[in-house]
Amino acid sequence: MTSRKDIRHILLYGVCLAVLIFTLKWLQWKVLILDNAVDVYVGLIAVFFTVLGVWMARQLVRTRVKTIVIEKEIIINNTEQATVNETELKKLNLSAREYEVLQLLTKGHSNAEIASHLYLSVSTIKTHVSNLFVKMDVKSRTQAIEKSKRLKIIH
Amino acid sequence: MTSRKDIRHILLYGVCLAVLIFTLKWLQWKVLILDNAVDVYVGLIAVFFTVLGVWMARQLVRTRVKTIVIEKEIIINNTEQATVNETELKKLNLSAREYEVLQLLTKGHSNAEIASHLYLSVSTIKTHVSNLFVKMDVKSRTQAIEKSKRLKIIH
DNA sequence: CCCGTATTCATACTTTAGTACCAATCTGTA
DNA sequence: TACAGATTGGTACTAAAGTATGAATACGGG
């Protein structure tokens, strides 16, 4: 990938090179290059171009940052049952009162407690509970609780 | 941070430089450097040291590794109770048999069913259940089920 | 207005759950 | 070995749950 920045750097390098060449030419005519000064001359050029190369490379490399993305999985345990399984609930075809009774039943309340909570007689609760058992296809309140939790039809 | 690798590179660079200097010296004495050949000579040195500098820089700097950790939230709807709340369970101080009975009780089984399942008499189950109620501070099996589910001490 | 369903309540009964008290056996620990 | 706790089982009793049946009332749709 040759970005606009790279091209700019290459152009800059070209300009620097040109300037140096002209400087050398000028030095060649103006100052006499002595025979024993060639070493120093060559050394200066070597150092200069080495530094230039290093600087160039650093500039170019700076844009080449290797980014490693590590996806850290955070497991969120959604334990609480927020939603009621409406589908299963409708299948049972429970009446409003029966569902009310079921909700209190699953909370561990006795028939007497449910009766006083709903301002009804124990007889009425027993009737509702019996009808519940038939509709839910269970034989005891404990089974009703187990099935309710399993089908997720209560909170 | 100057690693052993960096030192090796610097030494290599020194050696290259020394070799080049000697080569130049050799050329200086062996082949006559013509006046108009100085440009070519300087150019070669410039190119060589630029490449050397780039190479050096690349070796020293290498690629910068930027590590970005992205936390990805994964919601796992863990409906089923995978782990038992051991802390709450130990608080209740239930015996092994009592816990066995509790597990079957919460599944909606009757005393008779639990008895036949564990090859025990109904009397024994009644005793265990009564002791369970005292330890769990409840008054009925439905309350025991509710509390067990709430404290997450059963599967 | 009639019909089906929901809701309420009652009585009588059976079954199950739960309590109280006792006792034998087993088991790990001081 | 003695002892506390666990496990098993029994009897007798009370309380609650569950079944069966009947009946009155309310309420919405055809």
Side-chain angles (χ1 to χ4, degrees), chain B residues 33-45:
Chain B
I33 299 170
L34 297 172
D35 210 42
N36 59 344
V38 170
D39 294 357
V40 178
Y41 178 61
V42 169
L44 282 171
I45 291 167

Side-chain angles (χ1 to χ4, degrees), chain A residues 113-146:
Chain A
E113 287 170 341
I114 298 170
S116 61
H117 193 275
L118 297 177
Y119 303 104
L120 296 175
S121 72
V122 179
S123 300
T124 309
I125 304 303
K126 281 189 176 184
T127 307
H128 287 318
V129 171
S130 276
N131 293 332
L132 264 173
F133 291 173
V134 173
K135 287 184 179 178
M136 292 180 74
D137 192 32
V138 294
K139 288 193 180 69
S140 69
R141 63 207 296 110
T142 53
Q143 282 181 19
I145 294 171
E146 198 277 327

